[in-house]
Amino acid sequence: MGRHTAACELQVTDCGLPEFLAIAARFGTHRYAFAVTPNTDHLIRFRTDQAFRDIYRQAEFVLLDSRFIARLLRRTGGVILPTCTGSTLTAELFGRVIGAQDPLVLIGGSAQQADRLRPRYRLERLQHHKPPMGFVHDPLAVESCLRFIEAASPFRFCFLAVGCPQQEQLAHLLWARGRARGLALCVGGAVNFLTGAERRAPRWMQSAGLEWLYRLSRDPARLARRYLVRGPRIFWLLPRLNFLLRSPSITPSG
C-alpha cells in the first residue's frame, strides 16, 4: 500500500471545554500527564509523521482545537467530536481555575508577557523560561528546559507555548523521564491572545470555524503558507484518519 494511504487512528478525549475544566481543576500534583490540542496543521503532521503519532498516543488528553475540523467531520462523515480550543481553555484556566498560590510554569512567550500575567491574575508562583529559537535541535538547550520544568515540579499546570511539534516533544520527554508531577498543556500561541499580543477572531467567526480566516487576514505573510499551501492537504488526509472517542481519565486531587 502506498505512502500515507492506510488509515490510522486518533483517539480524541470525549469532553468539551466545561468537562475538561472540571478535570483540570481537580487533577492535582500527585502524578504527571499532558494534554495536546490538535488543529488542522497538527492533524496533517499526525497523519504523515510516525514520531508525532507516537507522542500523541502517550498524551492522556487529546482535545480537538479546531471547530473547522469538527464541522467538516460532521458534514462529510457524520462524525461528532467535542471541541476544546487551546486558547479558550488557557483563558478559562487563568480566569476561573488558577489561584494566586498555585505553582505554575510557562515555557515560551516573552518575559514581558509573563510579567503581564502575574499582576493580571495575581499569580505569585509563576515561573517562566524562554528557550532559544530552534532549541529542539540543541540537546543542551532541551536538557536545560526540561530541568527547569522538573525543578519547578510539582506544579499545578505547566503551559508549553513553544509551537508544534516542539511543545509536544517536551511534554513527551517529561513523561518519559518520569520526574515531573502536574498537568502539562500544549497550548501554542494561547499566551499571545491572553496578553493582548494577538487578537482573537470575533465570537461569530470562532463559532463558525472561521478563526483561521481571521488570523490569515491579520498576518498573511506568516500564515499564508500554513493555511493556503499546507492546510488544504487536510481534505485528502482527513478521510485517512479514524477518529475514536475515549473516556477521559478522572483522577483525585493530590
Side-chain angles (χ1 to χ4, degrees):
M1 190 169 289
R3 187 172 180 259
H4 306 327
T5 57
C8 61
E9 178 184 294
L10 174 61
Q11 296 188 11
V12 176
T13 306
D14 189 11
C15 61
L17 178 64
E19 294 82 10
F20 186 72
L21 281 174
I23 292 170
R26 63 179 182 266
F27 184 85
T29 59
H30 67 294
R31 67 185 186 91
Y32 174 81
F34 68 96
V36 294
T37 53
N39 58 24
T40 299
D41 189 67
H42 301 174
L43 291 176
I44 293 171
R45 188 180 299 274
F46 179 88
R47 185 62 188 83
T48 58
D49 185 338
Q50 178 64 53
F52 195 67
R53 289 199 293 274
D54 292 341
I55 290 174
Y56 259 51
R57 285 169 182 146
Q58 300 303 332
E60 188 153 330
F61 304 102
V62 179
L63 309 169
L64 184 61
D65 181 84
S66 174
R67 292 188 178 97
F68 172 78
I69 293 296
R71 284 175 175 267
L72 187 61
L73 286 169
R74 185 170 64 249
R75 290 177 179 177
T76 60
V79 178
I80 300 176
L81 297 177
T83 58
C84 181
T85 65
S87 297
T88 303
L89 169 62
T90 302
E92 291 291 296
L93 286 172
F94 275 93
R96 297 173 51 191
V97 174
I98 292 170
Q101 292 297 321
D102 286 338
L104 306 173
V105 181
L106 171 61
I107 303 299
S110 67
Q112 291 78 12
Q113 287 178 310
D115 288 341
R116 291 192 194 103
L117 291 173
R118 291 186 181 99
R120 181 174 299 175
Y121 298 100
R122 301 179 181 178
L123 307 175
E124 298 180 16
R125 301 180 64 188
L126 172 64
Q127 299 191 56
H128 172 248
H129 176 72
K130 181 181 180 180
M133 188 71 69
F135 75 100
V136 290
H137 304 295
D138 180 350
L140 292 178
V142 172
E143 181 65 23
S144 176
C145 188
L146 292 170
R147 289 188 180 185
F148 180 91
I149 298 169
E150 290 165 346
S153 170
F155 44 78
R156 189 173 190 191
F157 301 115
C158 174
F159 295 93
L160 300 172
V162 289
C164 177
Q166 294 83 202
Q167 58 198 16
E168 290 80 9
Q169 291 168 353
L170 284 176
H172 184 258
L173 286 170
L174 290 166
W175 172 84
R177 288 158 68 108
R179 301 170 192 170
R181 287 183 291 138
L183 181 58
L185 302 133
C186 299
V187 296
V191 173
N192 292 336
F193 298 119
L194 201 61
T195 58
E198 295 183 45
R199 292 178 58 184
R200 291 203 68 182
R203 288 189 179 276
W204 72 267
M205 294 190 78
Q206 295 180 38
S207 298
L210 295 174
E211 190 160 15
W212 67 271
L213 183 59
Y214 178 83
R215 295 189 66 194
L216 175 62
S217 70
R218 302 274 299 182
D219 193 356
R222 183 171 68 90
L223 297 175
R225 179 172 177 80
R226 179 193 300 182
Y227 290 138
L228 301 181
V229 178
R230 177 174 167 83
R233 297 179 66 193
I234 195 65
F235 294 103
W236 181 76
L237 293 173
L238 202 59
R240 293 161 177 81
L241 283 171
N242 291 332
F243 291 87
L244 298 177
L245 284 175
R246 70 183 184 195
S247 298
S249 62
I250 307 297
T251 61
S253 61

